[in-house]
Amino acid sequence: MTFQAQAFAIAGLIGLYAGLIRGQNVLSLLSLASLLWIFSEWLLFFIQVRFQLPRLRLARLVNGEADSNRSLWAERSLDVQIQWRESVRFHAATLEVMDVLPENLEVLYSDKGVGSNNSSIDASSLRRVKHLQPSRSWLVSSFHRFVDRTVDEMPNKRSLGTGEWENGWRYQVRVRSAGNVVFSGFRLTFESTHGLFRYEKFEKCEQSFRALPSFVDSGEYRSLTKKSNVIPRHGIHRLLRSGMGSELLELREYMPGDPFKSIAWKVSAKRDQWMIRQYESEVPARVQLIVDGSSTSRVGGFGARLLDQMTFVAASVGRMAINSGDPVGVAVCDERGIRRLPPMSGEKGFQILLRTLSDFSVNPSPPPCALNQRMIDAVWALLSQRFPELLDFKVNQLPFFFFPVFPGSRGRFRLRFLIVGALAEIYGLSTQEQVALIHNDHAFARRIQVLLNASGIPWIAPVVASAESQDREPIGRLSQLAECISSVVGHARDNEVIVVMSDLLNCVSVLEFLLPAVKLAVAKHHRVSFVCPTTTFQRPYPSGAFRFSGTWTADDLLLIAEQSRLQIQAEQLQRELHRCGASLSVSGEKNAIRLILSELDAVKMGRSKSQGALR
C-alpha cells in the first residue's frame, strides 16, 4: 500500500466515523463507498500479484543466444535483446521492468522505440515501463490509440502497442575490462492503475560470461630495433640452428641421407669431396610474462584500473610473439599466491593465455576493513535493487526496542536490523549469528563485503592507512614479486625475455627487495623489461612541457602536479633498474609493446643492447 492509498483509507475511516457519530448518512455512505473501492482495488491487485504476475516470462539474448558460459571480449560491444511473454491478460496496471547490469558493462545505445512508454538509462540498469490496459470496446480503444499517438508526438514520450511490447526491446553495451560478466536478472515493479498499491519483485535470470582481454594485432605496432649484421661480442651468441632459411650457416662434409640439392658443387670440386650447405634457421625466443595484481593495481573502476593496462599489454605481446613462432609463458601473483604457466605456442596456447589473464582480472576477496557509512549505503542499494522482497516490513519485521533513544541513532539501528535480516535469509544464518552481526561491527562489515563481492561489486574501503602499514605493504609486495621472478628464472632456459608488469612508481624507496632477483635474471643472460602503468594512461612528462594557453583551470593544475610527480618517480625508478641492466617503459601502452618487441628482436640477433627501442 502506497502513501496515497494510506491517505485515502485514513480519510475514509475519519469520514465514516464522523458520519456515524453526527448522523450524517451521506458522509457515511461516501466514506464507506471509498473504503469499499479501496478494498476492491486491493483485492484485484492481490489476485494479479498472486496468480497472474508469476506467469510472466522474461528472457535475455546476448548476441542472439540465450545460453551462458561463453566468452566475450573486452572493449567490444554486445547486442542484448529482452524478450517478453505473458500468458494471461492483466487488468489496468503499470509494470516497470529493469534489467540489472553489472558494473563491468557500459550502456552505449538503447532502442527506445521498442517496448517502452518511458525509458531511463543509467550506468547500472535499463528500465522499461509498460502501461497494461484491459480489454475495451472499439470506441474506447480508438480513443486510447488517439491519446497514445498524441503522447508519442510529445518530447521525451513514447508509447507502443501490446504486440511490440511482447517482442521486447534491445540495447547495446560495451565490456569495459577483462574478468566476469554476470547478468543477475530483472527487477519488476507492479503498480495499480491509480498508484494505490505497489509490489516489487526480483526475477532471477542469471547468465555468466568470461570476458577475455583485448589486444592489438602484430601489424599495428612494430619494433624499432635496427637489424644489424654486427658480430656479437664474445660470450653472446645468436640463437640459430640449421634449417631451411635463406642465410648460409656452415659447410660440412656430405653424409649418407643428405639431399643432393644441398650439395655445394664448386666447393666440392675444389676440395675433391662432396660438401653440403646448411642454412640457418632462428631458434624461437621464449617470452615470460609476469603480471603483478596487487591491491594497488585493482583500485578504480573497470577499464580504468592499472591491471587493465597490464592485461592489454600482456595479451598484445602474447599475440605478436605467438604469431612469430615464439612460445609465451605467464606467471601471475597477488594475494592469492603465485601461479605459473609454462611457455606455450599456437592458437591453443594463446587462448589459454587469454583465459588465464581473464580469470586473474577477477577481483579476489578484499581484506577485512572497518565498517563505514559508504559500505552500508552500497549494500542497502544492492538489497533494494536485487532483494526488494526481503526488505518488506511484512517479511522483515522489526521488534520494538527502547534504545537507542535519539532519532538518528534509532534510524541507523533500524537500517542495520533490516540489512541483517536480509543477510540471514540469503545465507541461512542462525539466531546467534544474527545477534553477532547486529552488535559486532567487524563481523557485520565482513558479511557485507562477502555479499558485495559475490554480487559483482568490488568493494575497496576508502581508508587512509597509517605510515607503518604504508611502509610494510610495498615491502611484502616486492618480496612476492621477487619470489615470482626467481621462480620464472629457475624454470627458464638461456636468453629469454622476461617482462615484469607491476606498479613500481611508489616503491622506489624499497626497491632493494626486488633488485637481487633482477640481477639474477640478468646474470642468467635474460632480457628483463619492466612495464609500469600510470593512472593517467599517459607517459609522464615534466611540468615545463606544458604550454600556456590562456587561463589555467583546476583540472590543468592537478594534471600538471600529477605528471610532475610521476616524472620524478619514473626517473628514479629508471636509474635504479638501468644499473641492474633492465629496461623500463612507463605507462604508454604503445611504448611498452614496442619496447618488448625490441628486446625480443635483440635476443634473436644476439645483440647486447636493443638500440632504437622506446623507453
Side-chain angles (χ1 to χ4, degrees):
M1 180 180 291
T2 61
F3 177 79
Q4 183 180 359
Q6 295 176 1
F8 273 111
I10 293 175
L13 290 175
I14 294 176
L16 179 61
Y17 181 74
L20 292 177
I21 292 179
R22 296 187 176 185
Q24 297 179 357
N25 297 330
V26 177
L27 179 60
S28 301
L29 291 176
L30 289 177
S31 301
L32 181 62
S34 63
L35 292 176
L36 291 177
W37 173 69
I38 294 176
F39 176 76
S40 63
E41 288 287 334
W42 172 83
L43 182 61
L44 180 60
F45 182 80
F46 175 79
I47 293 175
Q48 293 185 95
V49 170
R50 182 65 178 83
F51 299 102
Q52 295 182 345
L53 190 61
R55 303 178 66 178
L56 179 67
R57 294 295 179 266
L58 291 169
R60 184 190 300 106
L61 301 179
V62 180
N63 287 338
E65 299 181 5
D67 59 334
S68 58
N69 298 325
R70 294 186 290 113
S71 296
L72 306 176
W73 291 97
E75 301 297 333
R76 296 186 183 180
S77 60
L78 303 176
D79 291 329
V80 183
Q81 182 179 2
I82 308 301
Q83 293 183 348
W84 164 289
R85 188 184 65 181
E86 56 176 295
S87 57
V88 294
R89 192 64 186 170
F90 286 94
H91 190 263
T94 301
L95 179 63
E96 178 184 297
V97 181
M98 180 179 67
D99 189 9
V100 180
L101 300 183
E103 292 186 355
N104 202 6
L105 294 181
E106 177 185 1
V107 180
L108 299 179
Y109 166 77
S110 176
D111 191 357
K112 298 182 180 180
V114 178
S116 67
N117 289 11
N118 297 319
S119 61
S120 59
I121 303 176
D122 53 27
S124 61
S125 63
L126 289 175
R127 295 181 177 88
R128 287 298 179 270
V129 179
K130 168 67 175 176
H131 294 293
L132 303 171
Q133 301 293 343
S135 57
R136 298 180 292 257
S137 61
W138 175 83
L139 182 60
V140 177
S141 300
S142 302
F143 173 76
H144 277 276
R145 281 196 296 269
F146 172 77
V147 173
D148 291 342
R149 191 180 304 110
T150 306
V151 172
D152 281 344
E153 296 175 357
M154 298 174 61
N156 300 327
K157 294 290 184 178
R158 295 185 182 273
S159 176
L160 293 173
T162 306
E164 293 178 341
W165 171 261
E166 290 180 356
N167 294 330
W169 75 89
R170 57 170 51 90
Y171 57 90
Q172 191 177 41
V173 294
R174 181 181 67 89
V175 182
R176 294 181 177 178
S177 65
N180 287 340
V181 176
V182 180
F183 293 90
S184 56
F186 305 95
R187 188 172 186 269
L188 307 179
T189 303
F190 190 70
E191 188 174 348
S192 61
T193 308
H194 304 284
L196 300 179
F197 302 96
R198 182 184 299 109
Y199 176 76
E200 296 179 347
K201 178 184 178 182
F202 184 80
E203 186 73 20
K204 289 186 177 181
C205 183
E206 296 184 356
Q207 289 178 288
S208 178
F209 303 93
R210 172 186 286 163
L212 302 178
S214 60
F215 61 91
V216 294
D217 204 353
S218 58
E220 299 189 25
Y221 299 122
R222 298 292 184 181
S223 168
L224 298 183
T225 301
K226 179 182 178 181
K227 302 298 182 180
S228 176
N229 295 326
V230 179
I231 299 176
R233 66 180 181 178
H234 182 70
I236 303 297
H237 58 85
R238 298 176 64 185
L239 298 180
L240 300 176
R241 64 183 177 185
S242 59
M244 300 302 296
S246 58
E247 298 292 335
L248 180 64
L249 179 62
E250 64 178 353
L251 293 171
R252 63 173 179 84
E253 297 181 358
Y254 173 81
M255 297 182 64
D258 291 336
F260 288 100
K261 64 179 181 179
S262 300
I263 297 177
W265 296 103
K266 293 184 179 180
V267 179
S268 300
K270 291 180 180 180
R271 297 190 177 185
D272 198 17
Q273 62 176 351
W274 284 358
M275 301 295 295
I276 296 296
R277 293 192 186 97
Q278 281 193 334
Y279 298 92
E280 67 180 27
S281 177
E282 293 185 355
V283 177
R286 300 203 302 180
V287 181
Q288 298 283 351
L289 302 175
I290 300 177
V291 183
D292 180 18
S294 56
S295 58
T296 57
S297 64
R298 300 178 184 270
V299 177
F302 289 103
R305 304 177 298 176
L306 300 181
L307 183 62
D308 298 332
Q309 302 181 50
M310 298 180 192
T311 55
F312 171 77
V313 175
S316 302
V317 172
R319 175 77 279 177
M320 298 177 188
I322 289 178
N323 287 345
S324 302
D326 301 324
V328 179
V330 61
V332 294
C333 59
D334 58 359
E335 295 84 356
R336 294 168 287 188
I338 300 175
R339 297 177 298 279
R340 190 185 66 86
L341 292 180
M344 299 166 292
S345 59
E347 192 63 28
K348 182 178 179 180
F350 180 64
Q351 293 298 326
I352 295 176
L353 172 64
L354 292 181
R355 288 196 293 268
T356 302
L357 295 176
S358 176
D359 297 339
F360 182 67
S361 299
V362 179
N363 290 333
S365 298
C369 63
L371 184 67
N372 54 76
Q373 188 60 36
R374 291 185 59 183
M375 182 186 296
I376 297 178
D377 295 340
V379 73
W380 178 258
L382 175 65
L383 293 176
S384 301
Q385 187 180 67
R386 301 190 182 184
F387 304 97
E389 62 275 6
L390 298 181
L391 301 180
D392 191 359
F393 296 109
K394 297 179 181 179
V395 178
N396 196 352
Q397 297 182 359
L398 297 177
F400 179 77
F401 52 91
F402 290 99
F403 301 100
V405 180
F406 297 101
S409 301
R410 291 181 67 89
R412 288 190 295 269
F413 185 78
R414 175 178 174 274
L415 180 63
R416 181 165 178 170
F417 205 100
L418 289 175
I419 295 176
V420 170
L423 293 176
E425 183 67 22
I426 294 173
Y427 295 103
L429 304 180
S430 61
T431 306
Q432 292 78 6
E433 292 174 338
Q434 297 183 44
V435 174
L437 292 182
I438 293 175
H439 300 283
N440 190 347
D441 292 344
H442 177 74
F444 184 55
R446 188 57 185 168
R447 183 64 67 175
I448 288 177
Q449 283 183 307
V450 172
L451 177 62
L452 293 175
N453 189 65
S455 302
I457 302 177
W459 172 258
I460 298 179
V463 296
V464 179
S466 61
E468 183 179 358
S469 61
Q470 288 180 355
D471 294 338
R472 290 180 179 179
E473 182 181 358
I475 294 177
R477 185 161 59 89
L478 292 185
S479 300
Q480 185 184 35
L481 184 59
E483 181 183 356
C484 184
I485 295 177
S486 302
S487 176
V488 169
V489 172
H491 293 84
R493 299 178 182 177
D494 191 18
N495 289 353
E496 293 190 3
V497 179
I498 300 178
V499 184
V500 183
M501 306 178 189
S502 177
D503 180 23
L504 300 178
L505 294 178
N506 297 323
C507 306
V508 181
S509 59
V510 292
L511 204 60
E512 62 270 10
F513 293 91
L514 179 64
L515 295 182
V518 179
K519 294 178 181 179
L520 175 63
V522 175
K524 293 288 186 179
H525 303 289
H526 300 300
R527 302 273 179 169
V528 183
S529 299
F530 284 84
V531 178
C532 299
T534 62
T535 55
T536 58
F537 285 78
Q538 297 178 3
R539 193 176 183 182
Y541 43 87
S543 58
F546 290 90
R547 295 183 179 180
F548 182 76
S549 59
T551 304
W552 294 106
T553 62
D555 296 336
D556 295 336
L557 296 177
L558 182 61
L559 179 60
I560 292 174
E562 181 68 14
Q563 289 290 339
S564 300
R565 183 184 67 85
L566 294 177
Q567 176 66 19
I568 296 174
Q569 294 178 347
E571 291 177 354
Q572 296 176 356
L573 181 62
Q574 186 177 21
R575 188 182 306 111
E576 295 293 334
L577 293 178
H578 279 192
R579 290 176 181 176
C580 301
S583 57
L584 173 66
S585 176
V586 180
S587 181
E589 297 166 343
K590 299 179 181 178
N591 301 329
I593 297 173
R594 289 172 178 172
L595 171 66
I596 299 171
L597 293 181
S598 300
E599 296 290 346
L600 187 60
D601 291 343
V603 168
K604 293 182 179 181
M605 297 300 297
R607 300 178 59 175
S608 59
K609 295 182 179 180
S610 55
Q611 300 176 358
L614 289 179
R615 293 295 192 271

